[in-house]
Amino acid sequence: GAVVSQHPSRVICKSGTSVKIECRSLDFQATTMFWYRQFPKQSLMLMATSNEGSKATYEQGVEKDKFLINHASLTLSTLTVTSAHPEDSSFYICSARGPTSDYEQYFGPGTRLTVT
Amino acid sequence: GQNIDQPTEMTATEGAIVQINCTYQTSGFNGLFWYQQHAGEAPTFLSYNVLDGLEEKGRFSSFLSRSKGYSYLLLKELQMKDSASYLCAVCIGNYQLIWGAGTKLIIKP
């Protein structure tokens, strides 16, 4: 149980375009999902906390108008990178709070974004 | 501020034992996680400690001392597939995880 999927797994886009990444909890309801970004050889950096039915909470330094988060249902959160630039190229990972544990997070497989 | 320290890289031999340390200074504490992450993949859960002491799970064990702000992950009978990064993360308020930079573990035959 507690499986989280992400789509797409890899995406290449041109500078200036927008990219949407989906995060789904497959066998449980996730009221809270987290979006992380990870650059090569670095740790995970929390970008935002996504709560179903309300606005996402963004970490300091993360532009909310550039990284749009929508958590419209209990099983789906989306991250849209708007007007992407090469410096947005990174590994984006979502996670969801598990159905039984308050603190454990279950991770999606990640999305490798490359902006050319 | 929040700070989590772990060694950048460690090397060990197949079949041996290795201990990866993690020290933390955080504004809150709701438990400490260890995750394994292979290159290009998402982290996978290994362990969760919220009380002091040792938690054993197969070849992996995790220890926590809250008074010392210290944890370690112990890997026994190392296998080549254990080559990965090991991430220490502390849960503070509101389910937020603060992550260490990860320890890259290299296993040699």
Side-chain angles (χ1 to χ4, degrees):
Chain A
V3 177
V4 176
S5 71
Q6 261 182 263
H7 178 82
S9 58
R10 289 178 178 271
V11 57
I12 301 173
C13 70
K14 292 186 177 180
S15 186
T17 61
S18 296
V19 174
K20 179 184 285 188
I21 303 170
E22 293 185 348
C23 178
R24 293 181 184 273
S25 56
L26 297 185
D27 50 2
F28 67 102
Q29 294 182 333
T31 55
T32 302
M33 290 183 172
F34 303 90
W35 286 98
Y36 293 90
R37 180 166 53 181
Q38 186 177 34
F39 293 106
K41 299 185 179 181
Q42 294 186 23
S43 188
L44 282 75
M45 296 298 295
L46 179 65
M47 299 176 67
T49 302
S50 170
N51 295 295
E52 187 269 336
S54 64
K55 291 183 179 180
T57 303
Y58 289 82
E59 295 301 300
Q60 192 173 7
V62 178
E63 301 174 56
K64 62 180 180 181
D65 294 330
K66 180 172 180 61
F67 298 99
L68 302 178
I69 292 173
N70 187 331
H71 195 157
S73 78
L74 287 171
T75 59
L76 174 64
S77 176
T78 60
L79 168 68
T80 302
V81 183
T82 63
S83 187
H85 292 283
E87 55 264 33
D88 298 325
S89 299
S90 186
F91 192 48
Y92 291 86
I93 309 174
C94 73
S95 70
R97 281 176 53 197
T100 56
S101 167
D102 278 342
Y103 301 118
E104 185 173 347
Q105 294 182 22
Y106 293 86
F107 286 85
T111 297
R112 175 74 59 191
L113 170 63
T114 303
V115 184
T116 61
Chain B
Q2 322 284 11
N3 192 47
I4 297 182
D5 288 316
Q6 46 181 136
T8 304
E9 187 174 296
M10 298 182 71
T11 303
T13 305
E14 189 177 15
I17 299 173
V18 71
Q19 177 175 310
I20 303 173
N21 296 324
C22 171
T23 57
Y24 63 91
Q25 293 173 314
T26 57
S27 58
F29 185 83
N30 284 324
L32 186 145
F33 290 87
W34 284 96
Y35 281 85
Q36 180 190 61
Q37 186 178 27
H38 286 98
E41 298 180 11
T44 55
F45 171 79
L46 290 179
S47 68
Y48 172 62
N49 294 66
V50 66
L51 300 177
D52 290 350
L54 186 68
E55 296 275 346
E56 297 186 76
K57 189 185 295 184
R59 294 189 298 115
F60 294 2
S61 302
S62 56
F63 171 83
L64 174 68
S65 169
R66 289 171 296 172
S67 62
K68 296 182 179 179
Y70 168 70
S71 173
Y72 67 72
L73 179 70
L74 191 70
L75 292 76
K76 302 177 183 177
E77 301 170 15
L78 287 170
Q79 302 174 8
M80 297 303 293
K81 67 179 182 178
D82 297 329
S83 292
S85 287
Y86 291 85
L87 308 176
C88 171
V90 172
C91 182
I92 60 175
N94 297 321
Y95 316 105
Q96 183 176 346
L97 291 180
I98 305 298
W99 294 83
T103 298
K104 182 178 180 181
L105 178 61
I106 300 169
I107 309 296
K108 296 185 175 180

